Amino acid sequence: MNRYPKRDDLRAMSGYHSPQVSVKVRLNTNESPIAPPAEFVRELAGAVGDVRWNRYPDRSATALRDAIGRLHGVGGENVFVANGSNEVLQSVLLAYGGAGRTVATFEPTYQLHSHIARIAGATVVGGRREADFTLSESEVLRVFSTHAPSVTFLCSPNNPTGMAEDPKVISTAVANAPGVVVVDEAYAQFSPHSALAHVNENSRVAVSRTFSKTWSMAAARLGYLIAPRWMIEDLEIVTLPYHLDALKQTAGIIALKHLAHMEAGVRDVITERDRLLAAMRELPLVVWPSQANFILFRPNSGTDRNRDSTTGRGADVATRGREVWQHLLDAGVLVRDCSSWEGLAGCLRVTVGTTEENDAFLAALRDAVSARD
Ligand code: PMP
């Protein structure tokens, strides 16, 4: 039977591509390398027996929202929860960014912002970051005045480039945005500052967070948004009934009891990240600074050796990135290949792993970059 054609606006799109190959060292998706504490697993196992499995879960996830609210000093009515922060972002886009509306991103940034916006039917306008991946206030204002976006995404720290957005830029965006501003803080615990203080009932700002990274719960898929009450009410319109299952609600509540474990893990990851950064700076690579649990880098290419070492672009640079990615993979280390992404020619991104994983990565990387240099 012939296939039925999908929506016209989906024709040029493809799904999310991050290869899930089976390798020994997986440093490609920015999860925590640290398992949750044993007490978390024990308590959750006990909670499985307490779930009334024949009944729908609490539709408004009140206890979980209250617990998250307490963590941030806000009420549960200022918290929206969903299956991963990607679903949070999708809900925001369904409510504020559909057909006939414009969504602004500042590239390069987290690819799912523009991807989900397009799926929701919006037009995406991509503002640009500077050559060093910082974002200028003038670029934010230019995008606002040219495109009047209904939704503007900032990402702090920015994935995949690694640095937190300048607080001045966030303030400028908040003060001047024609629509809603979403600050994606998936990596907030690594950052020196947060946009949370901008959220209040008179602002149009929301901050998204996730349990997938520092809370060591990527398998559970849980994310949330801190936002004004009116925004939470709007999101409830686009949310499917009972979207968050009972066990996940419980898992989130139990995880929050282990704040100290999470914070200790963040400190350990930062120590490892700084060790990686120092070691990588000794190699023939461009290495960008990081305030997150991942590092963006670009192996030097022939173009770099012959000309400019920081702005090299073009086929040689991209090819070299891909070669090094393959070399790492052949050595059993999977990193994220950003080498063909716009504005990131030749770049790769490594997630900070355990000490052993990072050592394996460094050994494979040394080997990969000395294979030609
Ligand atoms: N935002 C950013 C910036 C991310 O890097 C990620 C995960 N890669 C997410 C959101 C989505 O995380 P999750 O859906 O697992 O909460």
Side-chain angles (χ1 to χ4, degrees):
M1 199 199 273
N2 289 337
R3 290 167 62 155
Y4 190 73
K6 57 182 159 295
R7 276 164 38 189
D8 287 347
D9 58 338
L10 297 184
R11 286 220 178 120
M13 296 182 70
S14 52
Y16 179 67
H17 287 299
S18 181
Q20 279 201 306
V21 287
S22 165
V23 282
K24 215 163 138 248
V25 180
R26 256 178 47 183
L27 301 175
N28 66 330
T29 41
N30 297 346
E31 300 118 313
S32 171
I34 301 161
E39 309 90 83
F40 165 86
V41 179
R42 257 197 308 277
E43 220 180 310
L44 186 59
V48 172
D50 296 334
V51 172
R52 297 172 72 206
W53 288 103
N54 54 323
R55 297 291 177 189
Y56 283 115
D58 174 11
R59 199 171 59 213
S60 48
T62 314
L64 174 60
R65 289 166 62 196
D66 285 349
I68 293 171
R70 277 195 295 279
L71 178 71
H72 294 296
V74 299
E77 64 281 3
N78 291 108
V79 182
F80 173 77
V81 280
N83 296 283
S85 53
N86 280 337
E87 193 181 63
V88 170
L89 304 177
Q90 182 187 52
S91 305
V92 171
L93 287 162
L94 289 174
Y96 300 107
R101 292 194 166 199
T102 299
V103 172
T105 61
F106 294 94
E107 303 294 332
T109 189
Y110 183 45
Q111 289 190 320
L112 268 282
H113 294 159
S114 52
H115 182 75
I116 305 171
R118 288 193 185 97
I119 289 170
T123 301
V124 176
V125 291
R128 303 298 320 170
R129 288 172 187 276
E130 304 292 304
D132 65 359
F133 300 133
T134 57
L135 178 56
S136 72
E137 291 173 76
S138 58
E139 175 65 353
V140 172
L141 295 174
R142 183 191 70 76
V143 167
F144 286 177
S145 60
T146 316
H147 302 287
S150 298
V151 179
T152 297
F153 280 107
L154 297 173
C155 192
S156 185
N158 188 44
N159 178 13
T161 59
M163 291 297 282
E165 305 282 22
D166 180 343
K168 276 206 327 248
V169 175
I170 293 183
S171 299
T172 299
V174 168
N176 295 282
V180 167
V181 177
V182 178
V183 186
D184 182 336
E185 293 193 351
Y187 306 94
Q189 291 87 349
F190 300 102
S191 171
H193 54 80
S194 162
L196 275 173
H198 287 291
V199 180
N200 62 64
E201 293 309 314
N202 299 314
S203 77
R204 294 168 170 173
V205 185
V207 171
S208 66
R209 296 270 180 113
T210 179
F211 280 74
S212 299
K213 314 295 176 184
T214 42
W215 288 102
S216 304
M217 263 180 54
R221 311 299 299 121
L222 180 60
Y224 62 93
L225 191 75
I226 305 293
R229 272 197 294 278
W230 56 265
M231 206 186 280
I232 307 286
E233 284 162 21
D234 289 345
L235 297 182
E236 279 161 8
I237 298 172
V238 301
T239 308
L240 296 175
Y242 311 107
H243 69 300
L244 210 66
D245 71 71
L247 192 58
K248 181 176 311 187
Q249 294 186 29
T250 303
I253 292 167
I254 298 172
L256 291 169
K257 294 184 188 169
H258 300 287
L259 182 64
H261 181 274
M262 183 277 272
E263 287 174 342
V266 169
R267 286 193 294 275
D268 290 349
V269 168
I270 289 176
T271 305
E272 277 296 305
R273 178 196 69 201
D274 292 345
R275 181 175 78 90
L276 272 182
L277 277 170
M280 290 168 73
R281 287 193 178 120
E282 300 294 314
L283 298 174
L285 313 164
V286 179
V287 182
W288 280 273
S290 169
Q291 292 175 321
N293 66 338
F294 54 84
I295 297 169
L296 186 75
F297 64 101
R298 198 188 66 214
N300 287 356
S301 65
T303 312
D304 292 301
R305 280 196 299 275
N306 300 337
R307 295 193 290 115
D308 173 357
S309 70
T310 57
T311 59
R313 302 228 188 295
D316 189 32
V317 179
T319 308
R320 182 67 180 137
R322 182 75 196 175
E323 271 172 18
V324 170
W325 180 84
Q326 188 63 52
H327 196 115
L328 292 171
L329 186 59
D330 294 344
V333 180
L334 178 62
V335 300
R336 194 70 202 267
D337 180 9
C338 316
S339 60
S340 60
W341 299 4
E342 216 196 315
L344 293 174
C347 291
L348 306 177
R349 188 199 68 198
V350 62
T351 304
V352 179
T354 60
T355 304
E356 297 70 35
E357 288 171 332
N358 298 333
D359 284 345
F361 162 71
L362 282 175
L365 183 63
R366 275 193 199 101
D367 195 48
V369 296
S370 62
R372 202 176 77 173
D373 274 77

